[in-house]
Amino acid sequence: MAAARQVPATTAIVCDDAAHGLIREAKEAALLAVGSRGHGGFHDLLLGSTSLQTAMHATCPVAVIRPRTAPDPDEGRRIVLGVDGSPRSAAAARVAFELASLHGIGLTVLHTWVGSLSEATAGLDAQDALEVRARMVLNDALAPWLSRYPEVDVRKLVLKQTAARALVEASAGAETVVVGCRGRGGFASLMLGSVSHALVHHAGCPVVVVHE
């Protein structure tokens, strides 16, 4: 708190449930920050936690503050970014590069791919083609930002793995993991899960979910 004494702050008491109140109040905000867990229990599991609902439905970037696992001393401080070539991941890339540049730390960028059964049985050539395409997606997603932020140390990773698992694993010891939100929400995504859902509940560091 001592370091934040010079930050202007206002307070408000809102008559609403936590998620809806925060989402409404943050419509003009640059960032909404929430904790990763409240009271818990069956009610939160069934209806979705405040952190998950705000991450899915807020109109500004949402930072879910999760406990940070111990970093690897050989890795140094790094931000992890997940990209898939979509406009929402471009918005996430902008935030990740801004944070990395502001704090003078490295950026690890992940793109994942998983071949279908027909592609997997087609042999090595099909697998190679899928990986080449994945690397092209990653390079295209990074191209606008590498020239804009040449001071940022960027590490590229293309993994044959699900995005949720790869990002949760990469988040261990990171400063922050940044992803875009697909913005659909609703009962289906709550029950079936998503990359944002997995990170909000399992990441080893704070998570920033960026909306397009």
Side-chain angles (χ1 to χ4, degrees):
M1 294 297 290
R5 285 176 181 170
Q6 302 303 315
V7 177
T10 59
T11 61
I13 298 175
V14 178
C15 183
D16 204 341
D17 69 85
H20 286 92
L22 287 167
I23 291 169
R24 185 179 65 252
E25 293 296 315
K27 282 184 178 179
E28 304 299 327
L31 178 71
L32 170 61
V34 294
S36 61
R37 134 175 354 202
H39 297 297
F42 180 74
H43 184 267
D44 279 351
L45 179 63
L46 181 63
L47 298 179
S49 65
T50 298
S51 55
L52 181 60
Q53 289 189 54
T54 53
M56 291 296 182
H57 300 294
T59 55
C60 66
V62 178
V64 180
I65 311 304
R66 290 188 51 79
R68 184 179 286 112
T69 56
D72 184 338
D74 296 328
E75 287 293 309
R77 299 173 61 208
R78 301 194 72 82
I79 291 171
V80 174
L81 166 67
V83 298
D84 63 6
S86 67
R88 60 185 178 267
S89 75
R94 174 182 58 80
V95 171
F97 271 89
E98 286 177 355
L99 288 172
S101 177
L102 177 65
H103 296 286
I105 59 180
L107 180 62
T108 298
V109 187
L110 293 179
H111 178 67
T112 66
W113 63 280
V114 179
S116 68
L117 181 62
S118 60
E119 291 164 334
T121 56
L124 185 60
D125 289 344
Q127 295 293 303
D128 287 346
L130 286 171
E131 184 171 357
V132 168
R133 186 170 65 189
R135 293 189 181 280
M136 290 176 62
V137 170
L138 177 60
N139 289 332
D140 289 346
L142 288 180
W145 309 105
L146 292 174
S147 58
R148 191 174 302 181
Y149 295 94
E151 75 280 6
V152 175
D153 172 37
V154 177
R155 182 181 304 165
K156 303 178 187 178
L157 290 178
V158 174
L159 302 174
K160 186 183 179 183
Q161 201 172 22
T162 63
R165 181 174 179 178
L167 285 165
V168 168
E169 291 178 355
S171 72
E175 289 290 308
T176 308
V177 58
V178 183
V179 292
C181 179
R182 61 186 182 181
R184 293 171 187 164
F187 184 75
S189 68
L190 178 62
M191 295 299 293
L192 297 176
S194 66
V195 174
S196 302
H197 191 161
L199 288 168
V200 165
H201 290 293
H202 301 294
C205 67
V207 179
V208 176
V209 180
V210 182
H211 292 258
E212 196 175 336

